[in-house]
Amino acid sequence: MTSATQRLPRLLALVPYLLSRPGIPIADAAADFGVTPQQLRKDLELLWMCGLPGYGPGDLIDLSFESDSITVTYDAGMRRPLRLTASEATSLLVALRALADTPGVPDSAAVQRTLAKVENAVGQARPSGVVIGLGAEESVDSQVRRTVQSAVTGGKALRIRYYTASRDEISERTVDPMRLLLVDGRSYLEAWCRNAHGVRMFRLDRIDAAQLLDEPAVPPSEAEPMDVSAGLFQPAPDQRVAEIELEPDARWVAEYYQVDEVEELPGGRARVRMRYADSAWMTRLLLGLGGQVAVLSPGELGDDVRQRAHAALRRTRHLPST
């Protein structure tokens, strides 16, 4: 099985390689990349889904197969060397710094070398005058990050004030830190939660406050690190799945909340599958999105949203006009 770290460089190199060798037999290309023809075909199938923003006809990489040969008919700009804009470079720096600050990262020296190279390139570039829209990692309070890192490295317990998005509530918790993880560009604290009596993952950008306690972190013997190889969050028996379509202004939902699948739709819309345990919370979330969301399934969730929306409209008819 090919790992992601092996496959990504190959995918990036495939289009320029094929452009310089139109009509090359798949077997020859596979031999040059040191993979089987079957693996190369899987790579080519994935390239078909890559391209420019819009991701519609004329935006995606296009390939032509004839017999057992392959030719690139549209490269989506991948024939050019990579050039980052100021905002892209800054976003990359943000992610690299978050990775460099995470304890336990393998080959941290490589991260530091990459960070230095990007910083040097950004420093030589002329200012563009753009405003950078930073991702979720930038909402992590710097004091919270330092306190959590000190707790992990120093083996100290923590008292945190934490927002649980799935229940829309804030709680005070005492935790015994175990490790920090960086998953999909977000930092998580894995810790034994004394309130829940179990191992929990806490997103750093949802920790409102953190206090280092003058006592050691002592997770019990049954506190085992979670296996995140198949994803950070696994389905629970009491969870249901909602399939919804989001308008462009509501796409933040798929970025802020955990979703299983995201399917791009025309016009910047997206269809997502989202797990939830609390129907009342899910209904409130969807009502808050107004006309920016459509519920495809389950039917009872869509019915509940419609009934509550109609009830709200009926109540407004009895309000005095202003």
Side-chain angles (χ1 to χ4, degrees):
M1 181 179 293
T2 302
S3 70
T5 54
Q6 294 172 321
R7 195 179 192 188
L8 180 58
R10 186 169 65 248
L11 288 170
L12 293 174
L14 258 175
V15 174
Y17 170 90
L18 295 172
L19 284 170
S20 65
R21 300 165 178 82
I24 185 173
I26 291 178
D28 292 352
D32 286 347
F33 280 91
V35 296
T36 64
Q38 291 80 5
Q39 179 60 57
L40 188 68
R41 286 184 181 275
K42 291 181 180 179
D43 292 342
L44 296 172
E45 291 170 359
L46 182 57
L47 281 176
W48 250 329
M49 296 182 285
C50 302
L52 300 172
Y55 308 107
D59 300 318
L60 302 178
I61 293 171
D62 201 6
L63 307 169
S64 172
F65 292 90
E66 184 174 345
S67 184
D68 286 327
S69 64
I70 177 70
T71 299
V72 175
T73 56
Y74 179 64
D75 58 45
M78 287 191 67
R79 68 169 61 241
R80 301 189 300 271
L82 178 63
R83 294 289 185 269
L84 297 178
T85 65
S87 59
E88 290 169 339
T90 303
S91 298
L92 180 58
L93 282 175
V94 167
L96 286 170
R97 285 175 183 145
L99 185 61
D101 290 341
T102 303
V105 173
D107 201 359
S108 59
V111 176
Q112 293 291 349
R113 289 195 300 271
T114 304
L115 181 57
K117 289 179 180 179
V118 177
E119 285 178 334
N120 181 60
V122 171
Q124 292 176 1
R126 290 182 296 177
S128 63
V130 298
V131 176
I132 307 302
L134 299 178
E137 275 303 306
E138 296 324 292
S139 63
V140 178
D141 182 85
S142 59
Q143 183 61 45
V144 166
R145 183 187 291 281
R146 286 193 295 269
T147 302
V148 171
Q149 288 175 340
S150 297
V152 173
T153 56
K156 293 290 187 179
L158 273 175
R159 182 173 292 117
I160 62 174
R161 179 177 168 84
Y162 189 71
Y163 171 66
T164 304
S166 61
R167 295 195 297 272
D168 192 26
E169 67 179 25
I170 294 177
S171 58
E172 300 278 349
R173 301 167 183 247
T174 300
V175 301
D176 296 288
M178 297 164 60
R179 59 175 176 166
L180 278 172
L181 298 172
L182 185 67
V183 182
D184 295 331
R186 299 185 188 275
S187 293
Y188 294 85
L189 168 67
E190 183 177 36
W192 174 266
C193 179
R194 299 182 187 178
N195 301 56
H197 302 288
V199 176
R200 296 292 186 269
M201 288 284 188
F202 301 99
R203 260 177 57 171
L204 261 61
D205 62 324
R206 292 179 181 170
I207 298 178
D208 289 341
Q211 178 187 354
L212 197 64
L213 301 181
D214 190 21
E215 59 178 281
V218 188
S221 57
E222 65 266 27
E224 293 290 336
M226 295 183 183
D227 180 6
V228 298
S229 58
L232 193 60
F233 300 100
Q234 299 301 311
D238 62 339
Q239 288 181 322
R240 283 152 286 186
V241 179
E243 186 174 4
I244 58 178
E245 285 190 3
L246 300 170
E247 294 296 322
D249 288 345
R251 287 190 59 125
W252 62 268
V253 171
E255 299 170 0
Y256 189 75
Y257 296 101
Q258 179 69 24
V259 297
D260 291 338
E261 298 176 16
V262 178
E263 179 185 348
E264 298 295 337
L265 298 175
R269 297 179 299 117
R271 181 181 296 121
V272 304
R273 289 173 58 83
M274 183 175 175
R275 285 181 271 123
Y276 64 100
D278 188 335
S279 296
W281 172 85
M282 190 65 178
T283 298
R284 289 196 304 272
L285 172 66
L286 296 174
L287 284 171
L289 296 174
Q292 299 296 312
V293 63
V295 181
L296 304 181
S297 67
E300 58 268 24
L301 177 62
D303 292 342
D304 191 27
V305 171
R306 281 190 292 272
Q307 290 170 8
R308 290 176 180 268
H310 289 159
L313 288 172
R314 285 194 297 270
R315 288 194 294 270
T316 62
R317 296 193 183 102
H318 301 288
L319 295 176
S321 58
T322 57

